[in-house]
Amino acid sequence: MEGKWLIADRDLNEREGLKWLLKTSSIPVTSIFMASDFQEFRNVFEREVPHIVLIELDMIGKEDWSNFRDLIQIYEPILLLTSAEATFEKARLAVDLQALDLMIKPFSSKRVKSALQKASRKLTVPHSQNKSIYSNSYKEMSFESLFLPGAATEENYFVAACKTESLDALRTLYSFLSEYPFKDVRGIFGLNDMVILLFMEHCTNVTEQCQKALRRWEEEYSEPLAIVVQIDKSSKMTLYEKYKETRKMLEITYYKGYRQVVAFNESPKWVQRDPFLAPPEQQAWIEMLHNFSLEEIKDWLYDEFLQLTMPYPDPGLVRIRLTSILAQVRRFMKTYQLDENLAYEKEYHHIFNSILYDTVLYRTVQNFILFLQNIFEGAKSNIQNVTQDPIERGITYIETNYSKSNLKLKDVAEYVERNPSYFSHLLMTKTGLSFKGVLTKIRMKEAKKLLIETSKPIKEISKLVGYQNSNYFSRMFKETTGVSPKEFRLQKMKT
């Protein structure tokens, strides 16, 4: 049976790639429609009423979920979902929406073709929904036992922490949990960022009860919810200590997302990692940006942030690492004068806020990729209009090639298509430094990082920053900083 298809994805390359795979397959198709955001998706959906929908879950905003569910329940299309987040949350959404398949990016053409063929064979399969109703009452204990370190309790408890993605929904969540028919609940505490449940020690199905409550919540509300349960029955910790551990464990939603219940019986620990880009990583980013290598950047970000497994790094360190990457992007924007464009500046600040405040990592990464896609288009446009700053381009070139011991002024001038003398004059006017001064400053900056962040010998560091003679490197370092490389490393180790 032929059918109408609707492909919705924010990434132009992804949309076109999916369309091409569908058109080149043997699947009978009446027509293919495309959408780049949810508003366009809704307009096309209501106008065309497609038989099969292939949509990126991550493009559906919190405010759009109710509308999306209504469309799916009313028209019952065959549903294929994609996402960059390989989490239980996405799998739960796929099950709840009764999707035929969920494909995690980056996916292979073979994987996509298999899903498309499966959807084509299922055109006549109907969807169904089941709902149930609950009620509840509970007896609450005092806040003192939970939140004061010295408070003692005669009984032992299991602790569950419940958190909605939006703080605006917490009051609704508290009311919902208060009315839900939990068994063996001793207290429900509404805080300013989560709701805490206390289950009696003899309760044997805490996790199962929370999973059922989560499913009931999702039947009534579109707001994402995560629940973390502390189930260590043998622990001698106080109630306050259990509460602190459970609260910390709830931060795992940054990696795993919402719409799931996570049970744990060990104290949560974060892996320590360097949040800043190492010099080779900085250089890799400079080269990827310089070459407009969007696919290479995608792979780098996916491997770096979306393939993490437990134990995870501290979310704060991951946010710092993302801002370290954004600093490289900022330099790229200045090189092509995109920082002078209000639209790009607005996008830049949006990404910066996403890094600092978004509650789920995969969303930040996806927004970052879309942002880079836009600024690459802007940079290419500026290249065509010959508006890029030769000094910024020249400095970027030096930052990329500072490790070459034979790097010369004429190499940089040739790269930016300027006469060496004229480029040297521009460089001095804008930075107050000669070519040699700029090169030395960059090399010394990288040398300091390597001395602080690694245990590499000084002779090796000398070569890594472009000096074949380690004695000459040490002399230049001392002229610049006032101390030798060895003294510099010892000072930093003491501090």
Side-chain angles (χ1 to χ4, degrees), residues 10 56-59 65 81-94 102-107 165 224 226 252-260 302 305-308 312 359-366:
R10 295 173 296 176
E56 176 196 13
L57 274 175
D58 313 326
M59 77 184 296
W65 268 106
L81 305 176
T82 68
S83 175
E85 182 192 8
T87 65
F88 183 84
E89 174 187 347
K90 295 304 178 186
R92 167 64 64 188
L93 276 174
L102 170 63
M103 295 175 285
I104 302 300
K105 299 179 181 180
F107 32 65
E165 187 168 0
I252 203 172
T253 54
Y254 184 62
Y255 300 103
K256 298 177 73 68
Y258 286 76
R259 292 191 167 90
Q260 62 181 304
Y302 283 149
F305 297 111
L306 302 189
Q307 305 299 328
L308 295 170
Y312 296 106
T359 56
V360 183
L361 176 59
Y362 86 91
R363 187 178 302 129
T364 298
V365 173
Q366 284 297 98

Side-chain angles (χ1 to χ4, degrees), residues 329-346:
V329 177
R330 187 63 169 173
R331 165 72 73 176
F332 176 85
M333 291 177 66
K334 289 183 176 180
T335 299
Y336 293 95
Q337 297 183 342
L338 299 178
D339 59 319
E340 299 176 8
N341 185 303
L342 292 179
Y344 291 121
E345 275 293 282
K346 184 177 180 181

Side-chain angles (χ1 to χ4, degrees), residues 448 451-452 487-495:
K448 288 177 184 178
L451 287 166
I452 295 171
E487 290 170 332
F488 178 83
R489 174 176 273 171
L490 288 173
Q491 288 176 1
K492 294 301 179 182
M493 286 175 65
K494 291 177 181 178
T495 57

Side-chain angles (χ1 to χ4, degrees), residues 35 50 54 82 89 115-116 145 165 167 175 178 193 227 244 254 294 301 337-338 355-356 389 403 418 429 465 474 483:
L54 199 167
T82 68
E89 174 187 347
L116 298 179
S145 302
E165 187 168 0
L167 294 180
S175 299
S178 298
D193 59 347
I227 304 176
K244 295 291 286 185
Y254 184 62
L294 185 62
L301 291 171
Q337 297 183 342
L338 299 178
I355 290 172
L356 294 182
D389 185 344
S403 61
R418 296 293 188 277
T429 301
V465 298
S474 295
V483 294

